[in-house]
Amino acid sequence: MNDVIDERSADDHRDGPADGQHGPVVTAAETARLTGGQRFWAGAAVTLTIAGVLIVLNQVFFWNPGGFTLLLNAFLYVVLACFLSQVFILVRARKSADRSRFSVPWYDAVLAVVCVVTNLYFAVHAEDISLEGWDYAAPPLAVAGSFVLWLLVLEALRRTAGLVVTIIAGAFSLYPLIAEQMPIGFLQGVPFPIERAATVHALGPDSILGLPLQTAGAILIGFLVFGVVLQRTGGAEFFIDLARSVFGHARGGSAKVAVTSSASMGMMSGSAVSNVLTTGPMTIPAMKRAGYPGTYAAGIEATAATGGSITPPIMGTAAFLMVSFLGIPYSEVALAAAAPALLYYVGVFTQVDAYAARTGMRGEPRSRLPKALATLRTGWPYLLALGALILLLVWQRDEAQAPFMAAALLLAIAVVRPRHRLGARGLLAVVVDSGRSIAEIVGIIAGVGLIVGALSMSGASLSLARELVAAVGDNVLLILIAGAVTCFVLGMGMTVSAVYVFLAIVMAPALIELGVNPVAAHLFVIYWAAASYITPPVALAAFAAAGIARSSPMATAVTAMRLGAAKYIVPFCFALNPALVAQDDVGSVLQAVGLAIVGVFAMGAAFEGYAPLVEVRMPGWARAVALAGGVALLLPETVSSMAGLVVVVALLAGLRLFGHHAGPPERRGDDAAAADAVAAAAAGSGEALQGESLRDESLPDGAGSGERREGDPEVRT
């Protein structure tokens, strides 16, 4: 669910994913090698994480032992003290700095201590801050502390999200100082002296402590912990095995396994590049051995991984921020996102299947695949935990408590269950991973809060939305196009959550004023902000996948764009047709989703030049007709939808009767090689597989293939 690592360069992942869920943990051997200082800082990180999670649990479940309660601002300051300080312990000041894990230089130690002391000082005086209005009339020590916290937040943002985001947030945070002198009328606002700006940022309820951090503290931390627990107890292996047992025998099985496993990983991280770096070393070499070109294999992985942030039940950070901006339960956000996510993966699956059919790929022999029932018998705790989470979200409607309860259930099973039993080391790994994951999200969220605070205190947010509506002249399509371009451009340099927070203030109100459904308007922003991960020139997920496949980064990004074409089209359709985001009656929703599935299928077939269901190649004119019919099926007007349905059905029927049914070229490969590769991947041998992929670069496409091609003899075992 994090978009932290996505802002790092793809070749920087050797230092450990920034989301903390996939990074290295403290093993027994590493613990033995730690120096005294490293042991101290490892202990400090573990202590801060445990203390921070306990404070969150107290706030979420209303324990209040001995009458102990925290005001909201005091709670948020404690969260900053426990987790923002860990950014300076766990994340290096420079990527090029060579330092071992938990080796903290003196300047980072000073920053961590100052961060804890400053935030605890504010937490102790939280009541004074609220009752005496310290954000506008603070004592000298609090003013000095405000400047310190302002700078600490910017430095934490630089380490977790990169320099570009920090420059943007820093410039916005200084904007109130010059708001009165802005040359453009609608950018003018209320001016603030620098000391007043500092106290409003640090002590006020709308900046660092604003909605983003309130959402992170109340909701997001629980889901981060659940994701870590799910993965560390063996959830990743289970979902890969389950995907292989269901799709491995089908044509193009290795690619379908990649799509399914990456979508499943999205439930644990929601981070595009993190997903690529976790599942890619397993799936990309397996796809290459199956005969997929490196560019196509990397494109499949990047496209599938990018869908993690938009896939329920556990979505990316921005989806949780929607809860606060819209004031609706998270279950409603997840339900609204379900149909668009389904359409996205239907499009990817259609193209993967069409490519496999067009090139003659067949699946692995069933004898080499895990058995579905056996996999379900061993993986029932993960399904039980996910089912419990969904039930709690839907019936209890408390998104703050639900993930902690589901994580506790999974941990309890893991402690007593023979397979994947968590001992003391496993629990330590969960704590360390959770701490890093939460720390880096808090680092980003606090920094993004500066943007919100600056626009709020100057009053510019209201005028920006109003002027935007006036500029487009009530043209909904024009503002959607402008919004898509803005999301994409900002997404090239900012995290999805940062883009969302900015445009939720500026763009979403303008869309809503023009009649776009509020849920659809906010999801539109999230979709287009995430599109930058597979879109050149800054396609970080595609570049990360290309690094694993040793393929051309730009060619991989172009392939990923084609495979993820639904991500560019579907947002416009659900913005114009709210039934696609469950904002209508049940009948209308089912009709809209059903027609949209047919439309996305037609578009996927058009992009690949092959119609899977009728098993026929598509000439150029047929591809153009299928694309137009597919788009018409997603439009809200009944006439256009029915016309699109008639066109697509008639086209497929005509192609079936009169189309080109020539079989694909025969290409043979070695079943055992890829079967062993996929088995090794499912067992967690990611690095070994990646090494194999580098050694096999000289093989032509199809050599060493694990999937059978048309004409290959059946392998007898």
Side-chain angles (χ1 to χ4, degrees), residues 369-390:
L369 295 171
K371 304 300 181 184
L373 289 179
T375 302
L376 290 172
R377 278 197 300 268
T378 59
W380 63 266
Y382 314 113
L383 297 178
L384 177 64
L386 286 173
L389 176 64
I390 294 171

Side-chain angles (χ1 to χ4, degrees), residues 307-558:
S309 62
I310 58 171
T311 304
I314 306 176
M315 302 170 64
T317 305
F320 293 91
L321 297 175
M322 275 184 64
V323 173
S324 295
F325 276 102
L326 291 175
I328 61 176
Y330 175 72
S331 57
E332 292 187 21
V333 174
L335 179 63
L342 172 64
L343 296 177
Y344 179 76
Y345 282 108
V346 166
V348 177
F349 259 87
T350 300
Q351 294 186 69
V352 165
D353 188 58
Y355 182 91
R358 181 165 54 84
T359 55
M361 291 184 178
R362 297 171 64 189
E364 294 181 55
R366 290 182 183 272
S367 59
R368 297 184 179 274
L369 295 171
K371 304 300 181 184
L373 289 179
T375 302
L376 290 172
R377 278 197 300 268
T378 59
W380 63 266
Y382 314 113
L383 297 178
L384 177 64
L386 286 173
L389 176 64
I390 294 171
L391 287 174
L392 289 169
L393 288 174
V394 173
W395 273 278
Q396 185 175 327
R397 301 179 73 86
D398 191 335
E399 57 270 7
Q401 297 181 0
F404 284 114
M405 297 169 70
L409 172 64
L410 192 55
L411 274 177
I413 295 173
V415 169
V416 300
R417 189 170 176 240
R419 184 172 180 174
H420 293 300
R421 176 175 292 170
L422 277 183
R425 295 175 187 170
L427 292 174
L428 177 63
V430 170
V431 173
V432 172
D433 283 2
S434 298
R436 183 180 180 108
S437 180
I438 298 169
E440 294 185 336
I441 282 293
V442 167
I444 285 184
I445 292 298
V448 169
L450 292 171
I451 300 176
V452 180
L455 294 175
S456 175
M457 74 172 79
S458 63
S461 57
L462 297 176
S463 60
L464 283 172
R466 184 176 61 251
E467 292 295 329
L468 189 58
V469 172
V472 299
D474 296 337
N475 189 319
V476 177
L477 184 59
L478 184 59
I479 196 173
L480 287 173
I481 294 172
V485 173
T486 304
C487 291
F488 171 70
V489 171
L490 292 176
M492 291 191 296
M494 299 171 65
T495 65
V496 174
S497 54
V499 175
Y500 170 73
V501 168
F502 176 69
L503 293 181
I505 297 172
V506 176
M507 179 70 66
L511 291 172
I512 294 169
E513 187 173 337
L514 290 178
V516 177
N517 178 272
V519 174
H522 284 256
L523 280 177
F524 180 89
V525 172
I526 292 176
Y527 262 70
W528 268 97
S532 63
Y533 291 143
I534 57 172
T535 310
V538 184
L540 292 179
F543 291 172
I548 297 172
R550 289 300 182 101
S551 60
S552 166
M554 293 305 293
T556 299
V558 171

